[in-house]
């Protein structure tokens, strides 16, 4: 049921992920796309501060830098349980925290809240969309919002990787850090396939490189990926690592090859 304009917006967000971007601008673009294609009044992104066990409101139209503990409100419950929450009447839901409404003067009617999970299964944040203009959010809205949430997660993971590499450079350990990041994207355990012994290994010429592989169960079959980004060092390692994240996220959302 998406219009040509809506599809163009979604494709532009996906295209932007392939180019250098500012994180806040990228997240603002994703939330703006969510408001348009989901016909919602407002949208926001909360980032997960794992060290503090809190969620920080970073992208919103009216308030900034609200911090709440994981587990508080619909956003906190979404982060804690890592499940999509589609609530047609927020004030009738005991999990709903009215404090943010009181701060902003806004009246939340219905909400769609989604966890942002990176390719390794770690929670990186929460995206929330409020007040569908023509009613409440439906199952089709959940699927579309999940695709947008996956794009948020990819953007957050990419920025986190770059920040880790910059920090490693300051400490003169940039290559070692990049090696750890890249190795973490490879399969941590081999999938079990009846009648087969499965094994994979990765030995780059330098500490990092553009070669990569992936082995993972997909439906009733086995996904086998062999890939190479041109060059050596950090740049091609970033390319293949982002490809890993987007591919895994796509299959998690039900895409076929």
């Amino acid at each position: 049921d998406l219009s040509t304009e809506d599809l163009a917006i979604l494709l532009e967000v996906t295209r932007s992920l392939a180019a250098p971007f500012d994180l806040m601008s990228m997240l603002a673009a994703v939330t703006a796309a969510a408001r348009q294609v989901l016909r919602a009044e407002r949208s926001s992104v909360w980032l997960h501060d794992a060290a503090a066990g809190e969620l920080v409101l970073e992208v919103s139209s009216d308030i900034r830098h609200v911090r709440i503990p994981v587990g508080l409100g619909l956003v906190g419950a979404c982060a804690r349980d890592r499940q999509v929450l589609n609530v047609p009447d927020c004030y009738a839901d005991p999990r709903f925290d009215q404090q943010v409404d009181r701060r902003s003067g806004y009246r939340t009617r219905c909400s769609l809240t989604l966890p942002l999970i990176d390719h390794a299964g770690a929670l990186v944040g929460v995206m929330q969309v409020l007040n569908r203009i023509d009613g409440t959010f439906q199952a089709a809205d959940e699927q579309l919002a999940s695709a947008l949430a996956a794009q948020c997660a990819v953007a957050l993971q990419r920025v986190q990787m770059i920040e880790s590499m910059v920090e490693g450079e300051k400490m003169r350990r940039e290559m070692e850090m990049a090696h750890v990041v890249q190795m973490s994207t490879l399969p941590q355990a081999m999938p079990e396939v009846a009648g087969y012994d499965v094994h994979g290994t990765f030995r780059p010429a330098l500490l990092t490189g553009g070669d990569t592989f992936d082995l993972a169960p997909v439906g009733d079959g086995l996904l086998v990926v062999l890939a190479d980004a041109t060059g050596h060092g950090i740049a091609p390692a970033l390319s293949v690592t982002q490809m890993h994240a987007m591919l895994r996220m796509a299959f998690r959302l039900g895409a076929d090859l």
Side-chain angles (χ1 to χ4, degrees):
D1 296 331
L2 291 177
S3 67
T4 302
E5 182 181 1
D6 289 341
L7 287 172
I9 291 172
L10 295 176
L11 289 172
E12 177 61 22
V13 171
T14 302
R15 187 196 65 79
S16 298
L17 283 172
F21 59 80
D22 170 73
L23 177 61
M24 291 300 106
S25 297
M26 186 68 207
L27 294 181
V30 174
T31 54
R35 287 194 301 274
Q36 172 144 347
V37 300
L38 295 172
R39 309 296 185 261
E41 293 181 359
R42 295 193 177 188
S43 56
S44 60
V45 172
W46 301 69
L47 303 185
H48 183 220
D49 184 345
E54 294 179 331
L55 295 165
V56 185
L57 180 61
E58 287 290 352
V59 179
S60 177
S61 58
D62 52 358
I63 53 177
R64 293 288 188 276
H65 301 297
V66 175
R67 301 183 72 97
I68 63 171
V70 171
L72 177 65
L74 293 174
V75 171
C78 175
R80 179 193 62 212
D81 301 333
R82 302 190 180 192
Q83 294 182 348
V84 175
L85 299 180
N86 187 349
V87 179
D89 184 355
C90 290
Y91 278 82
D93 194 305
R95 297 169 297 182
F96 178 64
D97 179 19
Q98 303 177 19
Q99 182 178 0
V100 176
D101 269 14
R102 287 195 291 267
R103 288 186 184 182
S104 63
Y106 182 73
R107 176 76 178 188
T108 302
R109 178 172 46 82
C110 61
S111 69
L112 183 57
T113 313
L114 305 98
L116 305 181
I117 308 297
D118 71 10
H119 75 285
L123 177 74
V124 293
V126 172
M127 185 176 80
Q128 187 174 58
V129 187
L130 303 178
N131 290 7
R132 184 174 173 90
I133 294 173
D134 54 357
T136 58
F137 297 106
Q138 305 301 313
D141 296 322
E142 295 180 24
Q143 295 177 349
L144 183 55
S146 294
L148 289 165
Q151 292 176 319
C152 270
V154 168
L156 287 168
Q157 190 224 5
R158 176 175 168 180
V159 169
Q160 290 171 350
M161 286 170 48
I162 293 174
E163 289 176 349
S164 295
M165 291 180 181
V166 170
E167 183 64 23
E169 185 175 5
K170 291 177 181 178
M171 301 172 64
R172 297 187 180 184
R173 292 190 294 110
E174 70 277 14
M175 295 302 293
E176 290 81 1
M177 293 287 290
H179 176 75
V180 171
V181 170
Q182 185 172 24
M183 296 301 291
S184 70
T185 67
L186 301 176
Q188 301 302 304
M190 293 296 104
E192 295 184 2
V193 181
Y196 292 88
D197 292 326
V198 182
H199 176 70
T201 189
F202 176 66
R203 297 178 63 186
L206 303 176
L207 284 174
T208 61
D211 299 306
T212 191
F213 78 95
D214 199 2
L215 297 165
V218 177
D220 296 328
L222 177 68
L223 170 68
V224 180
V225 176
L226 296 175
D228 178 19
T230 301
H232 300 281
I234 293 177
L238 273 174
S239 296
V240 294
T241 301
Q242 182 178 357
M243 181 274 294
H244 263 292
M246 296 181 75
L247 186 63
R248 285 292 189 103
M249 200 69 70
F251 281 119
R252 182 178 296 171
L253 292 173
D256 58 22
L257 188 56

